[in-house]
Amino acid sequence: MFPGQLYKTESGRLFHAGAIAIILVGLPARGKTAISRSLYRYLRWLGVQTKVFSVGNYRRQIIGVEVTNDFFSPANKATAELRAQIANACLDDMVQWFAAGGQVGILDGSNTTAERRQELVDRFKACNVQPLLIESICDNPDIIDTNIRSVKVSSPDYVGWNQSDAVEDFKRRIANHVPFYTTITDLKLSFVKVINAGERIIVNNAQGFLQSKIVYYLTNLHISPRTIYFARNGVSLNEQSYRADAPLAPSGHRYAENLKNFLLTLRESNALSSPVSSAPQDKARQLTVWTSSRKRSFQTAAHFLDHEEIIVRQRSVLAERNPGVCDQMTPQEIEEKYPDECQRAKADPYRHRFPRAESYYDLANRLEKVILELEREKNDVLIVAHESVLRCLYGYLNGLPESEIPSLEIPEGVLLELTPTAYTTEERRHRIPDTVASVNWQQQTANLMSLAGNVPASPVYMGQYLSEDKRKNRPDSSTTVSSLASSPSSSMLVHSTTASPTSSGKTQKDLLGINQGPELEFRL
């Protein structure tokens, strides 16, 4: 089974949807491969048996990569028979895969003529497979140029090529297709048109739950480059208790400040080393920080609030797994008290849940909303969360099976830098250096609360943590605060070596107890 799969069936097909053939349509460099790979990843996450059949991969396997750009031209009669053999070999394998029980097959090819599309539709209908065409249309030269430079020149066809030569060769390949390309006009067909990488979407005759699910996913999808960062939250004053929802310890604030400094420096370094481009999608992207409403996670992210250009958002669904009856227990105590449960957990670590607890399976289904929003997000995103949450999101981005997710290692003090591409997710891991100088801890705590106290939030949550004078001056929950006139100019540096509750005292714990309502957006 797969991470988000709700149930099993004897046939292996879900949602009473039968088999669906997704047929990609469009000129080269329009994002068809990115769409097919993203759909594959999402449908597999839901548990749908899915496979991508790439005509380009079949061509490379049959005749290799050393072909001229006019090989692909529909006007080239000399290569027409060979091109048809390659396309039909891919199609035959796809039909056989459906016969063996596959549910959603994705045919990744150009399919630019109405005649070819009708052949495919007739072939699939004869096999009792529902065809759904997805046409990627793009008339924005900036998007096309970026897609060529970031995706196509790094494909197996151009290994060892000079980049400028590869770009020109691929543009000639596109030009060979243009005179023969016709857009979909037959309203009897089920199709989706994705225009300019998601700027506009046209849907016609989509039927059934699973097709609707696919369409909704496409409305969240884009091919703009972006970077996703993962970082674990800092250490709290009570790491053993889930119910206590303890605030960050002094060492946790020190880590949060180090994380902020390192990430901002890393982004500046990456921006300086990137080639200069005039394309809008290549401009410096804003950073958005996502975190949960758990205190230690939000307070780790709150250190970014002194940068007015950074948005910090709470997502209640990003909270860690609820341990249930195992809260505040050590692994040894759990083994002694619940030996049978521990055996079941070892047998199925992904789906097993202790009494009144959550499993990784429960968490993965809870995160589907965040996954769709992550696909839609065009800014760079830093997700600050517990390791269990980051494991699930990492598993989704890399298409991992459920059996691997509980054992993934996302160490403390490490920043993961993930870049989704058309073919894979590129990853870099950075050790976060400790560069924070020793400062007055109480003053820095006050600075942090000064920032967080001006974040719009419900008084039900925030009021109990503010002093009486701040509570009176605080705007009500209907007021939106977009700027902080009196933000401290000094950075929030933290220095401490202990994480025990007694080291900070009750007053500091109250000051640090920021617990806001779900789904909030902050901007200073």
Side-chain angles (χ1 to χ4, degrees):
M1 294 181 71
F2 296 94
Q5 185 170 340
L6 295 175
Y7 61 93
K8 290 182 178 180
T9 63
E10 288 186 8
S11 68
R13 293 176 176 172
L14 305 182
F15 309 117
H16 306 284
I20 299 174
I22 296 177
I23 304 168
L24 272 296
V25 176
L27 292 169
R30 264 57 178 180
K32 298 187 300 298
T33 297
I35 291 172
S36 64
R37 299 291 172 179
S38 296
L39 268 176
Y40 168 80
R41 182 177 61 205
Y42 176 64
L43 292 172
R44 292 260 295 181
W45 174 267
L46 295 179
V48 178
Q49 294 187 59
T50 309
K51 188 173 181 179
V52 176
F53 294 84
S54 170
V55 177
N57 286 344
Y58 274 74
R59 186 254 307 161
R60 283 184 280 269
Q61 291 170 9
I62 293 172
I63 64 173
V65 298
E66 295 182 2
V67 293
T68 58
N69 59 72
D70 62 349
F71 172 88
F72 306 93
S73 173
N76 189 341
K77 303 301 182 183
T79 61
E81 184 177 352
L82 182 55
R83 292 199 313 272
Q85 289 176 0
I86 294 169
N88 288 331
C90 182
L91 177 60
D92 291 342
D93 284 353
M94 188 170 174
V95 170
Q96 291 177 11
W97 180 78
F98 279 124
Q103 184 164 15
V104 176
I106 303 174
L107 185 60
D108 182 10
S110 297
N111 305 309
T112 50
T113 66
E115 293 77 14
R116 177 58 179 170
R117 294 193 290 267
Q118 192 59 53
E119 288 177 13
L120 295 172
V121 168
D122 292 342
R123 178 77 183 275
F124 287 125
K125 284 186 174 180
C127 303
N128 197 29
V129 176
Q130 308 166 53
L132 174 65
L133 288 81
I134 299 176
E135 182 177 9
S136 183
I137 301 171
C138 186
D139 55 13
N140 185 326
D142 290 333
I143 296 177
I144 296 170
D145 187 67
T146 298
N147 195 29
I148 292 173
R149 294 179 184 280
S150 63
V151 178
K152 296 304 178 183
V153 298
S154 60
S155 77
D157 289 343
Y158 293 105
V159 173
W161 281 59
N162 175 275
Q163 185 181 41
S164 60
D165 292 340
V167 169
E168 291 306 313
D169 183 81
F170 198 85
K171 286 182 177 180
R172 287 192 292 270
R173 184 187 299 188
I174 296 173
N176 288 334
H177 279 81
V178 171
F180 303 90
Y181 169 55
T182 58
T183 188
I184 301 172
T185 57
D186 187 353
L187 298 183
K188 296 185 183 117
L189 299 175
S190 298
F191 64 80
V192 181
K193 294 190 177 188
V194 181
I195 301 170
N196 285 336
E199 288 182 3
R200 190 157 59 97
I201 289 182
I202 298 172
V203 181
N204 181 76
N205 203 24
Q207 300 175 350
F209 176 79
L210 188 52
Q211 286 196 20
S212 299
K213 197 90 170 166
I214 291 168
V215 170
Y216 180 63
Y217 178 77
L218 291 174
T219 64
N220 291 277
L221 195 62
H222 65 85
I223 61 172
S224 301
R226 51 29 186 302
T227 302
I228 300 168
Y229 304 96
F230 286 170
R232 290 176 58 172
N233 49 243
V235 176
S236 72
L237 291 168
N238 186 351
E239 285 287 292
Q240 301 303 316
S241 176
Y242 173 86
R243 287 190 290 270
D245 191 16
L248 280 183
S251 59
H253 280 282
R254 183 186 184 94
Y255 160 78
E257 188 68 15
N258 281 320
L259 169 63
K260 181 192 74 172
N261 293 341
F262 176 74
L263 178 55
L264 296 182
T265 302
L266 176 66
R267 287 172 56 79
E268 289 177 3
S269 175
N270 289 345
L272 291 174
S273 61
S274 299
V276 178
S277 172
S278 59
Q281 59 270 26
D282 289 338
K283 299 296 183 183
R285 297 180 297 274
Q286 185 179 22
L287 176 66
T288 302
V289 182
W290 294 3
T291 186
S292 76
S293 52
R294 303 286 293 177
K295 292 175 187 172
R296 61 179 177 178
S297 293
F298 171 69
Q299 290 177 12
T300 303
H303 282 253
F304 288 86
L305 287 170
D306 61 351
H307 288 261
E308 62 180 12
E309 75 280 6
I310 298 177
I311 298 172
V312 178
R313 291 177 176 167
Q314 284 192 41
R315 294 286 181 268
S316 59
V317 294
L318 285 172
E320 65 235 53
R321 291 187 306 150
N322 188 331
V325 297
C326 300
D327 192 33
Q328 301 188 69
M329 296 176 66
T330 65
Q332 294 77 15
E333 291 171 338
I334 297 171
E335 287 269 9
E336 293 172 3
K337 191 168 183 178
Y338 304 106
D340 294 339
E341 293 288 344
C342 287
Q343 289 300 318
R344 286 191 281 270
K346 290 174 183 177
D348 189 359
Y350 182 81
R351 291 181 177 267
H352 176 268
R353 65 174 70 88
F354 284 88
R356 298 191 292 279
E358 283 185 301
S359 65
Y360 275 99
Y361 165 77
D362 300 322
L363 177 58
N365 281 280
R366 169 153 56 90
L367 289 173
E368 183 179 0
K369 178 182 176 182
V370 170
I371 285 171
L372 290 172
E373 187 163 0
L374 191 60
E375 293 286 12
R376 185 169 63 246
E377 182 65 67
K378 293 186 178 181
N379 290 331
D380 290 347
V381 179
L382 165 65
I383 299 179
V384 178
H386 187 267
E387 185 178 28
S388 59
V389 175
L390 299 181
R391 282 171 173 166
C392 286
L393 294 176
Y394 183 94
Y396 167 75
L397 290 171
N398 288 279
L400 300 180
E402 63 177 43
S403 59
E404 296 184 22
I405 289 177
S407 59
L408 286 173
E409 290 190 10
I410 301 180
E412 293 181 340
V414 171
L415 176 71
L416 272 66
E417 182 181 6
L418 305 173
T419 306
T421 68
Y423 298 100
T424 185
T425 299
E426 299 175 356
E427 176 183 336
R428 294 166 59 194
R429 296 196 175 204
H430 308 274
R431 174 64 62 180
I432 301 170
D434 185 1
T435 58
V436 173
S438 177
V439 295
N440 184 301
W441 163 246
Q442 290 185 336
Q443 180 59 49
Q444 297 308 319
T445 301
N447 290 348
L448 176 60
M449 285 307 303
S450 174
L451 291 168
N454 282 269
V455 170
S458 169
V460 172
Y461 294 97
M462 285 297 296
Q464 59 183 310
Y465 299 115
L466 301 178
S467 59
E468 188 64 31
D469 58 330
K470 287 187 178 180
R471 200 177 304 164
K472 289 179 180 178
N473 296 329
R474 183 175 178 76
D476 61 34
S477 59
S478 63
T479 304
T480 300
V481 180
S482 59
S483 62
L484 177 61
S486 58
S487 62
S489 57
S490 60
S491 60
M492 299 176 293
L493 303 180
V494 179
H495 176 67
S496 179
T497 57
T498 177
S500 65
T502 56
S503 66
S504 57
K506 185 177 185 298
T507 302
Q508 288 186 5
K509 288 169 71 175
D510 289 342
L511 282 172
L512 290 168
I514 309 169
N515 184 9
Q516 312 219 16
E519 313 304 319
L520 299 176
E521 176 173 329
F522 314 110
R523 185 193 293 272
L524 290 179

